[in-house]
Amino acid sequence: LQLHDDDPVPMLADMAQQLTEHKVLEDAILNCIDEQAEVMDSASNELAGIRRELRGGEARVREKLEQMVRSSSVQKMLQDAIVTIRNDRYVIPVKQEYRSHFGGIVHDQSGSGATLFIEPEAIVAMNNKLRELRLSETREIEKILQKLTLQTAEYAEELQLDLEVLGELDFAFAKGRLAHQMGATLPRMNDRGYLKLRRG
C-alpha cells in the first residue's frame, strides 16, 4: 500500500511532515555499522589496523598448526588431523597418551577423556598476541559505539517523537493493508437509527 501525492489522506501527510531528518547522524551510523549490525573495519583507522593484524596473526597460527598436523610423525599422535578452536585459542586434538609430547596448555577434553585439545607450546605466544589484539578490537569497538551514542543523544527528544509518529503511521498503513486484503469498504453512516447489511 502506497501513498501518492493525489491521495486524499491529508491527516497522514501531516503526520509524515512531522518527521525530522538527521542526515549527518544517519551517515555517521551507516559509515560504521553494516546491515548485520556489525561494526565495520572502516569505522576507524585504528579498528581497520587491528583487524588487519588480527587476520594476519590468525593465518600464521593456522599455517603453523596445519604444518604440524600434516607431519606423518605427528599425525599418529592426533585423534584427527585438524585444527580447531577452544576458548578462542587455536588447538589440536591429541590422543591422551601423547599429551607430554606437545607441552603447552590443555583447553578441553573429549567426553571419554581419550582426546585432549592442546594448544602446543610452539604457538602459545602467538595465541597470546591474538588475545591481545581481540581485546584491543573490543575496546576500539566500544569507543566507536560510545561516540555514536553521544551523537544520537543530541537528538534524543526529536527521535523519540519520530518513533511515536512512525508507530502511528505504521498502524494506519497496517489497517489500510488489512482493509485492502479483506475488500472492506467505508460504511455510510445515517442518523435514522438503522443498519443495512449487504451480503452480511
Side-chain angles (χ1 to χ4, degrees), residues 174-185:
K175 289 190 291 184
R177 190 173 290 112
L178 177 62
H180 181 70
Q181 289 172 355
M182 294 172 62
T185 57

Side-chain angles (χ1 to χ4, degrees), residues 3-18 165 168-169 172-173:
L3 270 181
H4 300 286
D5 291 340
D6 56 351
D7 281 334
V9 280
M11 188 174 75
L12 293 184
D14 289 345
M15 288 170 64
Q17 291 280 332
Q18 297 174 42
V165 170
E168 291 180 35
L169 285 169
F173 276 95

Side-chain angles (χ1 to χ4, degrees), residues 18-86:
Q18 297 174 42
L19 295 172
T20 56
E21 185 177 346
H22 303 290
K23 186 67 175 155
V24 173
L25 177 61
E26 181 184 354
D27 288 345
I29 292 171
L30 291 176
N31 287 334
C32 294
I33 312 291
D34 66 16
E35 292 178 359
Q36 286 74 45
E38 297 290 335
V39 177
M40 298 185 290
D41 292 7
S42 57
S44 78
N45 291 333
E46 290 81 1
L47 184 61
I50 291 166
R51 285 183 172 169
R52 192 164 43 249
E53 198 175 343
L54 188 54
R55 285 190 288 267
E58 287 175 338
R60 285 189 293 276
V61 170
R62 281 196 304 269
E63 184 181 355
K64 192 168 184 69
L65 285 177
E66 282 165 5
Q67 283 176 353
M68 193 179 291
V69 300
R70 283 197 300 266
S71 163
S72 56
S73 61
V74 170
Q75 280 184 2
K76 66 179 183 182
M77 304 180 205
L78 303 178
Q79 198 64 43
D80 293 294
I82 59 168
V83 175
T84 186
I85 294 175
R86 290 292 187 279

Side-chain angles (χ1 to χ4, degrees), residues 46-176:
E46 290 81 1
L47 184 61
I50 291 166
R51 285 183 172 169
R52 192 164 43 249
E53 198 175 343
L54 188 54
R55 285 190 288 267
E58 287 175 338
R60 285 189 293 276
V61 170
R62 281 196 304 269
E63 184 181 355
K64 192 168 184 69
L65 285 177
E66 282 165 5
Q67 283 176 353
M68 193 179 291
V69 300
R70 283 197 300 266
S71 163
S72 56
S73 61
V74 170
Q75 280 184 2
K76 66 179 183 182
M77 304 180 205
L78 303 178
Q79 198 64 43
D80 293 294
I82 59 168
V83 175
T84 186
I85 294 175
R86 290 292 187 279
N87 303 320
D88 284 336
R89 314 274 293 192
Y90 285 93
V91 296
I92 52 177
V94 178
K95 294 175 183 175
Q96 170 72 41
E97 59 268 31
Y98 296 108
R99 188 262 172 272
S100 60
H101 177 82
F102 291 92
I105 304 165
V106 176
H107 286 281
D108 198 5
Q109 67 176 8
S110 63
S112 65
T115 305
L116 301 175
F117 293 91
I118 293 178
E119 176 184 359
E121 193 170 352
I123 64 151
V124 169
M126 297 170 76
N127 264 335
N128 285 344
K129 179 61 177 173
L130 291 180
R131 174 70 179 151
E132 290 171 20
L133 287 168
R134 289 190 188 104
L135 290 172
S136 297
E137 179 190 28
T138 299
R139 283 194 296 271
E140 184 60 24
I141 287 172
E142 286 173 357
K143 280 170 56 180
I144 291 163
L145 294 178
Q146 284 172 352
K147 183 180 175 183
L148 288 175
T149 300
L150 289 172
Q151 283 181 261
T152 305
E154 294 176 22
Y155 305 103
E157 284 187 32
E158 293 172 43
L159 292 172
Q160 182 60 43
L161 290 172
D162 285 347
L163 188 62
E164 291 170 13
V165 170
L166 285 170
E168 291 180 35
L169 285 169
D170 191 44
F171 185 45
F173 276 95
K175 289 190 291 184

